[in-house]
Amino acid sequence: MARVAAVLVLVLLVAGCGSRRAVAVHVTPGNSVEDQPIQIVVDGLRPHQIVALRLRSTDTKGVAFGAKATFAADAHGIVDVDHASARTGSAYSGVWPMGLLTSMSAPSAPPFTPYFWGKTPQRFTLTASVAGRAVASTTFRRGLPDGRFTVEDETVPKDGFDGFYYAPAGASRRPAVLMFGGSEGGVGRSLLGALLAAHGVPTLDIGYFHAPGLPSALKNIPLEYFRGALEWLDRRPQVDPSRVSVLGVSRGSEAALLLGVHYPQ
């Protein structure tokens, strides 16, 4: 009888081990656009087990990007990046649902190298490792919105300012944005301008120094320069002049605030 009981216990133990779920990584949605949040969840871990998540992707120019963060599973063996805090030594700190994506960098490229998106969605690979051993992996795709828009090149001699106008196809009297950068100067075709236009928002992205026809340094820039760009934007058929916002990035936020004070209309 004792022998039968021992065999029964062994069978139950083996069955219990076999019923334990394998570790799995889930990314939702599996296809997303560049400014859309995603959810990252790892399950099947042991309670409070430490797991490292490594995200990799190669951009359209062939530059390899990556980021890594380490987490502790909860009492149910789950890591939900929406709520889990990244541990010391991760690419970011604290709770940041999009931290892995936002913290991606290119180790073999110069600092601050941007990720270049192609016309088709890019492939991302997310791998979970425990004690240095990969235990699960998944892939997902991410790309630019597919909204149609045109891009016009505006110049100081022709328009009074230097920049690019992103006009959504078929737009009429839409809320619009005047945007500009910070201490880096110059003027370039902005990813943010393209994203806004793809979502149906007419956007004028201008430079205000360190570009042809403009001051060479960020010093004594007249606010009237920005006002001229705002008035030009107001006249576009795609734009509702009563719903125009100003977006200044970094040092450009100073100009944006001053425009709000001096030209509230």
Side-chain angles (χ1 to χ4, degrees), residues 155-241:
T155 63
V156 173
K158 177 171 68 77
D159 306 290
F161 58 88
D162 197 12
F164 295 95
Y165 176 54
Y166 299 83
S172 178
R173 295 188 65 80
R174 299 269 184 88
V177 171
L178 171 68
M179 64 173 291
F180 36 83
S183 57
E184 74 281 359
V187 60
R189 294 179 65 164
S190 164
L191 171 62
L192 183 54
L195 284 172
L196 288 167
H199 286 300
V201 180
T203 303
L204 177 59
D205 183 7
I206 65 171
Y208 52 102
F209 76 100
H210 195 52
L214 299 176
S216 59
L218 181 51
K219 185 177 180 181
N220 297 326
I221 308 296
L223 285 181
E224 289 80 4
Y225 174 81
F226 299 95
R227 176 177 178 171
L230 279 168
E231 291 174 342
W232 183 94
L233 186 59
D234 283 350
R235 295 192 295 269
R236 300 307 98 193
Q238 300 88 359
V239 174
D240 180 351

Side-chain angles (χ1 to χ4, degrees), residues 87-218:
R87 296 168 64 89
T88 302
S90 299
Y92 68 95
S93 60
V95 177
W96 191 1
M98 298 295 290
L100 276 168
L101 275 165
T102 305
S103 301
M104 292 184 78
S105 61
S108 61
F112 308 113
T113 296
Y115 188 100
F116 283 91
W117 299 89
K119 293 183 178 180
T120 58
Q122 302 296 114
R123 184 174 182 265
F124 291 75
T125 300
L126 183 62
T127 303
S129 298
V130 174
R133 183 176 67 88
V135 293
S137 183
T138 191
T139 61
F140 61 97
R141 293 191 176 274
R142 195 163 171 85
L144 297 176
D146 59 3
R148 304 296 179 185
F149 58 88
T150 59
V151 184
E152 299 177 10
D153 188 356
E154 317 304 341
T155 63
V156 173
K158 177 171 68 77
D159 306 290
F161 58 88
D162 197 12
F164 295 95
Y165 176 54
Y166 299 83
S172 178
R173 295 188 65 80
R174 299 269 184 88
V177 171
L178 171 68
M179 64 173 291
F180 36 83
S183 57
E184 74 281 359
V187 60
R189 294 179 65 164
S190 164
L191 171 62
L192 183 54
L195 284 172
L196 288 167
H199 286 300
V201 180
T203 303
L204 177 59
D205 183 7
I206 65 171
Y208 52 102
F209 76 100
H210 195 52
L214 299 176
S216 59
L218 181 51

